[in-house]
Amino acid sequence: MTLILVRLVIIVLVFGAIFLGARRIWRDWKGQFKQVDQARHDRDLKERARPDVVTLKRDKDGKFRQPDDK
């Protein structure tokens, strides 16, 4: 009876360690992806603020053209 309980405890500990390790890896990757996305967003905002960047609008026919700001 005690041998079954010992095996059960060992199996639970092994699966618990695997679960906690996988959870930690998932959180680390998720945080890294958030940092990359934030850096890309900041870079896009800086690039959009430059004076030589033209913003295009979609016209009725589906093509992108410069807006008429006359």
Side-chain angles (χ1 to χ4, degrees):
M1 183 68 175
T2 59
L3 186 62
I4 294 174
L5 289 176
V6 170
R7 284 183 183 175
L8 185 62
V9 168
I10 290 173
I11 290 173
V12 167
L13 288 176
V14 167
F15 281 116
I18 290 171
F19 174 74
L20 291 176
R23 196 171 113 201
R24 182 173 180 175
I25 290 171
W26 177 260
R27 286 184 178 177
D28 288 345
W29 282 1
K30 188 174 164 185
Q32 180 66 28
F33 292 143
K34 283 183 181 180
Q35 289 176 354
V36 169
D37 288 343
Q38 184 64 37
R40 182 179 300 138
H41 179 70
D42 293 341
R43 186 188 68 226
D44 289 346
L45 288 178
K46 286 179 190 176
E47 184 176 317
R48 198 179 310 162
R50 291 185 3 207
D52 62 337
V53 174
V54 178
T55 303
L56 301 176
K57 301 285 182 178
R58 186 185 292 260
D59 211 5
K60 291 179 184 177
D61 61 356
K63 293 187 179 182
F64 288 95
R65 295 189 173 91
Q66 290 184 359
D68 294 327
D69 294 334
K70 296 178 183 178

